[in-house]
């Protein structure tokens, strides 16, 4: 990929991120931050490639730490986001409030 | 390049393309409460596809290291993510985010150590991603420590900004040496990363707990940017797109949060308001007027409109389930009941919504500041539980107050205000609350959970 094409991708992706988030209600700010935190867990594929090309013990050690951290980012980000979003329900989607005894 | 590599390459590129689409669709779906749940599933599918296909990457070795690293990191994160309490979600986001930043820095380190970057552009991008990732890593760990209560003091000393500036300058000089390919020796590269890590620590240590959400959001955006930069280095489209989308979305979220707290980003990073315990006490006139739970219960039972204003104190007292039980009782009686959420209620914007959702409160009963503020004037009772600064009227009136200008919930405009509070101390920011001294305000002292349980009994007793 040439430098200019890369720059175009960067610009378009930046606008995409801005547009996707710009009309979000406040109630979703925390889950969304958590969700975007999960999305940058894609660093895992880069860490895998870096470790996959490492030769010296130093490179391998740092690469190992990189993959470990990246996997933590991806998995942890997914689990907490999913747990949060699972709980969002509207009153139409739930059973009627419990009657007092 | 052998033919099998070519087809593997095609499969990889196609998969990364699919991943980028799934991520963007997923984030889009996450921006509405109706579709949010499916959004994370879409994004998760994208992550799975990208991770699996990367095993086919041409010329990969060290699988015996890659697999256990994924296993250990993944299992630890899974375990911690599953068992963390909802009140502690913000610091877990900080922790996982820091891990991502650390991973981006690690990629930069491996590529720079092994001379894997070709040309000035690629090396410069690796260096830039490296410093941003490293700062995000150590900074996020400090943020985690602060919110988790591991670091209770904000360490400040004279010349701190100067020290940060010097650290940054030194890191940039070493980074420039590497990027200009003048000296990419082990010592210089290592020194560069050590300086960047220390900078993250010294930048974040002086920032107070109340400002941490903005800081976490900022580091989230920075990690995204670092990932995108390392994506350019590795020529990896999935990383470029996902990282950039998060970088810009995170920047926007950071701005929204800072605005909601009436703070500029520069203010958050370079001044220590976040936990000033002694800042402007402000004189308040009047007295605190206590009320018994039984009286408060009767008042609410016969109200036609009640607005509940929950704050982080409610979540700390684990009172949200009781609050919802009380709310259901009132709704049963025909009371018009709403929850009013300030953008910064809880430890970060939207955190309170998560805590209420956990207790089973439907999201359509929850209104944010703009929707509800006009309604306080027609409310018979505003029930303030565990909230303090976000209902403090001095934000409207007292120019000398540190929170002056912050948008607040107009709880003071309600006909009656009941404040459930543990003791007579000031709020998170240490500012005396004028609301508590108003003529229409009554204080219901006690532990949040116990006080609400008493209110429930009182409402039931009305019959």
């Amino acid at each position: 990929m040439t430098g200019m094409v890369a720059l175009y991708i960067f610009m378009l992706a930046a606008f995409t991120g801005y547009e996707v988030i710009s009309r979000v209600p406040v109630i979703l700010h925390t889950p969304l931050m958590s969700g975007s935190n999960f999305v940058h867990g894609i660093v895992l594929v880069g860490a895998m490639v870096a470790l996959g090309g490492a030769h010296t013990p130093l490179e391998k050690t740092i690469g190992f730490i990189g993959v470990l951290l990246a996997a933590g980012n991806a998995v942890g980000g997914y689990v907490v986001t999913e747990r949060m979003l699972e709980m969002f329900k509207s009153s139409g989607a739930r059973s009627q409030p419990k009657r007092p005894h | 390049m052998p033919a099998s590599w070519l087809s593997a390459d095609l499969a990889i590129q196609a998969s990364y393309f699919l991943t980028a689409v799934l991520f963007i669709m997923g984030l889009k779906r996450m921006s509405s409460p109706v579709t949010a749940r499916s959004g994370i599933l879409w994004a998760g599918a994208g992550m799975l596809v990208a991770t699996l296909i990367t095993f086919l990457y041409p010329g990969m070795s060290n699988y015996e290291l890659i697999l256990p690293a994924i296993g250990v990191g993944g299992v630890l994160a899974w375990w911690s993510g599953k068992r963390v309490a909802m009140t502690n979600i913000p610091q877990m986001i900080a922790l996982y985010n820091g891990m991502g930043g650390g991973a981006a820095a690690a990629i930069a380190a491996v590529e720079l150590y092994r001379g894997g970057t070709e040309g000035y552009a690629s090396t410069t991008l690796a260096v830039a991603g490296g410093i941003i990732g490293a700062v995000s890593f150590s900074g996020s760990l400090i943020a985690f420590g602060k919110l988790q209560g591991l670091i209770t003091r904000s360490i400040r000393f004279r010349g701190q900004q100067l020290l940060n500036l010097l650290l940054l300058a030194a890191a940039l000089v070493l980074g420039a040496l590497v990027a200009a390919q003048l000296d990419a020796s082990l010592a210089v590269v290592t020194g560069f990363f050590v300086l960047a890590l220390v900078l993250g620590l010294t930048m974040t240590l002086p920032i107070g707990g109340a400002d941490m959400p903005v800081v976490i959001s900022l580091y989230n955006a920075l990690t995204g940017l670092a990932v995108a930069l390392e994506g350019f280095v590795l020529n990896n489209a999935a990383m470029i797109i996902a990282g950039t989308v998060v970088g810009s979305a995170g920047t926007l979220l950071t701005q929204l949060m800072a605005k909601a707290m009436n703070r500029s980003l520069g203010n958050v990073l370079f001044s220590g308001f976040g936990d000033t315990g002694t800042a402007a006490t402000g004189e308040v006139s009047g007295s605190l007027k206590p009320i018994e739970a039984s009286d408060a219960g009767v008042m609410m039972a016969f109200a036609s409109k009640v607005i509940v204003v929950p704050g982080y104190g409610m979540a700390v007292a684990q009172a949200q389930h009781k609050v919802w039980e009380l709310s259901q009782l009132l709704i049963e009686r025909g009371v018009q009941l709403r929850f009013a959420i300030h953008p910064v209620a809880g430890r970060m914007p939207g955190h309170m919504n998560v805590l209420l959702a956990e207790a089973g409160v439907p999201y359509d009963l929850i209104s944010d500041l703009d929707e509800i503020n006009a309604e306080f004037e027609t409310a018979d009772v505003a029930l303030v539980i565990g909230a303090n600064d976000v209902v403090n009227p001095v934000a409207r009136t007292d120019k000398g107050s540190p929170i002056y200008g912050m948008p607040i919930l107009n709880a003071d405009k309600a006909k009656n205000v009941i404040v459930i509070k543990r003791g007579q101390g000031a709020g998170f920011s240490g500012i005396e609350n004028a609301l508590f001294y108003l003529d229409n305000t009554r204080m219901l002292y006690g532990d949040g959970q116990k006080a609400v349980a008493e209110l429930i009994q009182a409402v039931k007793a009305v019959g």
Side-chain angles (χ1 to χ4, degrees), chain B residues 133-155:
Chain B
V135 166
S136 174
F137 174 65
S138 55
S140 296
L141 290 187
I142 297 295
F144 168 77
K146 288 206 169 199
L147 288 180
Q148 188 71 23
L150 302 174
I151 306 169
T152 47
R153 289 182 55 234
S154 295
I155 299 152

Side-chain angles (χ1 to χ4, degrees), chain B residues 187-204:
Chain B
V188 171
V189 175
T190 307
F192 165 72
F193 280 106
V194 170
L195 284 173
L197 288 171
V198 174
L199 177 63
L201 297 181
T202 58
M203 254 179 70
T204 320

Side-chain angles (χ1 to χ4, degrees), chain B residues 339-407:
Chain B
F339 287 85
I341 311 279
H342 191 274
V344 295
R347 275 295 175 266
M348 59 171 62
H351 187 202
M352 187 53 60
N353 302 82
V354 173
L355 297 169
L356 288 177
E358 187 191 19
V361 179
Y363 62 76
D364 43 5
L365 286 187
I366 301 173
S367 309
D368 63 27
L369 188 130
D370 296 334
E371 294 168 347
I372 198 94
N373 248 352
E375 295 195 32
F376 277 105
E377 282 168 34
T378 58
D380 299 296
V381 178
L383 177 67
V384 178
I385 168 164
N388 195 337
D389 294 334
V390 298
V391 288
N392 193 345
V394 301
R396 278 199 305 259
T397 54
D398 182 2
K399 285 207 169 100
S401 172
I403 60 169
Y404 176 73
M406 179 173 90

Side-chain angles (χ1 to χ4, degrees), chain A residues 39-40 42, chain B residues 221 223-228 237-248:
Chain A
V39 164
H40 68 52
I42 191 69
Chain B
T223 301
L225 186 60
V227 170
M239 281 171 73
I240 296 175
I241 295 172
T244 310
V245 165
V246 172
S248 75

